[in-house]
Amino acid sequence: MVSELQAIVDSIATRAGRAALIEDRLQRVVVYSEQIEPMDEVRRLSILRRQTTAEVIAFFREVGVQQATGAIRTPACPRLDMLSRVCIPIRHGGLLLGFLWFLDPDESMTDDEIANVSPTTTDLALALYRENLSSEIASQHETEAIRLLLADEPDARQHGALALLDEGALADDGPVVAMAAKLSLRPGGRLDKPARMAVEQTLLESRRWMGLRRAVHMSRYDHGVLLVRCKRRRTCIEVRDIAAHLNASLQGAVRGLPSVSGAVVGVGQVRSRLAEVRESYDEAALATRVALQLPAVGPIARWSKLGIYRVLSQLTSGDIGGASIHPGLEKLLDNPLHLPLLGTLETYLDLACSAGATAQQLNLHRTSLYYRLQRVEELADTSLKDGTERLSLHLALKVARLTGRYQPGADTGGVVEHANAG
């Protein structure tokens, strides 16, 4: 199949008098002709990695290559070290199959020359359709094995692990970790096709970056899953590096998407065998839930670093939404004017009730700090001298953060300024 595509792209390059490259609809490099100068860094890296980077894909999406029905000229982008191009979408029966690319830095490729090579895309479309079909079948086999690997039944997980190893998707069994990539949508936004493709392209790019048989992936309705076979002895450093690359690629891929406001990566803990990765996946998925709700966690949420949120995230939405851990604190949570008091209380509890450390972090005089804490005790009908009360208050604040009831940083109009006078 590839030899057929190679013959076609070589013929197109000869006919056009310039180098040609073919990508599939996800902008993975399929085949290319002999490359001659000029060549930019984007073309060079695409050939070496067999994959266009997420940032470049996002740029092409913004200029409209996904929607184009005919040849389109794409501008140069110095930021990406990319020359201008001519792109001809490859379609079959209205279905987008891929792209035919020509570098055109001086825009010397005339409309007649473009029209001269366009008829050849009919044969190219049929060959690429067959190639895509073959790739889709292999991808479906991998996806089905991952579904089994993440199933509830232990027998199914074992079967999924054996299937991935037998098919050579992963080099061998051993330490493995799960990562999840999830998007945050704007109000009224929906997970549309460009958003889904951005996640898929990110997962593919990360796999190619790691090398052959290092990882497998699957796209689910609202998130992507990356399962990584760890290789280094110091897996914590390896996992950190892979998560950082996945996050950077994801942020670049979603840039400019109108429906997306952000993206996060969740990282589970390493498991010793592939058949045990379901637990790591559950952790990664829950970590994304925390990261989306609590921006302070950062775009990369590692399960091992989430503290009390490891427990809270495992509660169902009904459980956590109906939790009334400290009735007295409800009075403060229901009034946005009390946000400064809540922030003071949380910092005080986070810092092991150290008045000095709290005053320094909040840039408060100790007298003002004590006044605020006294007001909390009065309004919440509590005593900060009681260890059980402190635990209850602390937990209630973390639950409120996770549910969105308590959002530090919101504008309160400086309600407690008069209180600071004390």
Side-chain angles (χ1 to χ4, degrees):
M1 191 68 66
V2 174
S3 60
E4 179 186 5
L5 284 167
Q6 186 66 60
I8 292 174
V9 76
D10 287 342
S11 173
I12 291 174
T14 300
R15 192 167 183 172
R18 60 184 69 212
L21 179 142
I22 297 172
E23 295 176 331
D24 66 11
R25 63 184 180 84
L26 295 178
Q27 293 197 245
R28 295 173 292 192
V29 174
V30 178
V31 69
Y32 50 89
S33 69
E34 179 183 357
Q35 299 296 303
I36 56 177
E37 295 295 338
M39 181 188 291
D40 59 18
E41 189 68 4
V42 170
R43 171 63 62 87
R44 188 181 70 83
L45 290 177
S46 293
I47 291 174
L48 288 175
R49 298 172 178 174
R50 312 292 294 188
Q51 168 74 38
T52 304
T53 66
E55 193 172 18
V56 172
I57 291 172
F59 174 83
F60 285 136
R61 181 179 62 238
E62 290 176 9
V63 300
V65 299
Q66 294 283 342
Q67 293 76 36
T69 56
I72 179 175
R73 297 181 185 272
T74 65
C77 180
R79 175 176 59 86
L80 297 174
D81 193 13
M82 182 165 62
L83 301 172
S84 58
R85 284 160 161 70
V86 170
C87 172
I88 302 177
I90 304 168
R91 295 182 179 273
H92 179 68
L95 179 67
L96 178 64
L97 300 174
F99 306 93
L100 171 62
W101 294 95
F102 299 99
L103 291 177
D104 189 26
D106 56 0
E107 299 186 7
S108 60
M109 193 172 187
T110 66
D111 291 343
D112 288 341
E113 289 174 328
I114 296 173
N116 187 44
V117 298
S118 292
T120 62
T121 59
T122 300
D123 292 339
L124 179 56
L126 291 173
L128 194 55
Y129 179 79
R130 290 191 289 269
E131 174 69 17
N132 283 351
L133 185 61
S134 176
S135 298
E136 287 293 332
I137 292 173
S139 177
Q140 287 174 9
H141 288 165
E142 180 178 291
T143 297
E144 180 57 28
I146 297 173
R147 290 186 190 281
L148 290 172
L149 190 61
L150 302 182
D152 292 332
E153 301 79 11
D155 288 348
R157 298 179 195 176
Q158 188 63 42
H159 183 77
L162 291 174
L164 288 173
L165 294 171
D166 289 345
E167 293 174 7
L170 294 172
D172 52 19
D173 203 349
V176 62
V177 66
M179 300 183 186
K182 191 165 185 175
L183 306 183
S184 174
L185 301 179
R186 299 186 189 280
R190 62 185 183 87
L191 201 61
D192 51 18
K193 184 176 180 181
R196 291 174 184 273
M197 286 187 65
V199 174
E200 174 73 11
Q201 288 161 343
T202 295
L203 297 172
L204 286 168
E205 199 277 332
S206 294
R207 287 181 65 172
R208 294 187 184 277
W209 177 75
M210 283 183 277
L212 293 174
R213 305 174 70 192
R214 284 292 316 280
V216 293
H217 82 280
M218 177 176 69
S219 293
R220 289 196 148 171
Y221 168 69
D222 62 347
H223 67 281
V225 183
L226 185 69
L227 307 180
V228 180
R229 170 68 169 88
C230 301
K231 287 294 186 184
R232 299 184 198 166
R233 297 179 66 180
R234 299 184 66 184
T235 56
C236 59
I237 297 177
E238 179 182 21
V239 170
R240 182 194 64 195
D241 292 345
I242 294 171
H245 181 274
L246 176 62
N247 175 63
S249 180
L250 183 62
Q251 302 302 333
V254 302
R255 188 177 296 117
L257 287 177
S259 62
V260 177
S261 61
V264 297
V265 170
V267 184
Q269 291 185 273
V270 175
R271 293 304 193 276
S272 60
R273 297 174 55 250
L274 187 57
E276 300 168 359
V277 78
R278 162 63 188 272
E279 288 77 15
S280 182
Y281 163 69
D282 288 340
E283 294 164 354
L286 290 171
T288 63
R289 175 188 176 190
V290 175
L292 286 175
Q293 191 61 50
L294 305 176
V297 169
I300 302 175
R302 295 172 58 190
W303 178 255
S304 61
K305 301 296 184 182
L306 291 182
I308 188 61
Y309 292 114
R310 289 197 299 270
V311 176
L312 299 181
S313 65
Q314 296 180 69
L315 301 175
T316 65
S317 298
D319 289 337
I320 202 167
S324 181
I325 298 173
H326 196 289
L329 200 66
E330 299 287 322
K331 303 173 187 176
L332 279 74
L333 289 169
D334 289 339
N335 189 340
L337 299 181
H338 290 144
L339 270 175
L341 295 179
L342 292 171
T344 301
L345 174 62
E346 184 179 33
T347 303
Y348 180 68
L349 295 171
D350 284 346
L351 296 176
C353 301
S354 169
T358 304
Q360 182 176 10
Q361 180 159 324
L362 296 178
N363 196 25
L364 284 175
H365 192 279
R366 283 207 188 196
T367 303
S368 298
L369 171 63
Y370 291 138
Y371 177 87
R372 290 190 182 189
L373 295 176
Q374 182 182 348
R375 287 291 292 153
V376 169
E377 289 182 314
E378 293 171 353
L379 293 169
D381 190 22
T382 187
S383 171
L384 292 175
K385 295 183 177 68
D386 186 323
T388 302
E389 280 290 290
R390 291 197 301 271
L391 175 62
S392 180
L393 289 165
H394 209 179
L395 188 57
L397 284 168
K398 300 308 181 185
V399 169
R401 270 184 178 270
L402 198 56
T403 59
R405 288 190 65 192
Y406 168 48
Q407 297 178 321
D411 184 13
T412 63
V415 171
V416 297
E417 290 304 314
H418 68 282
N420 292 346

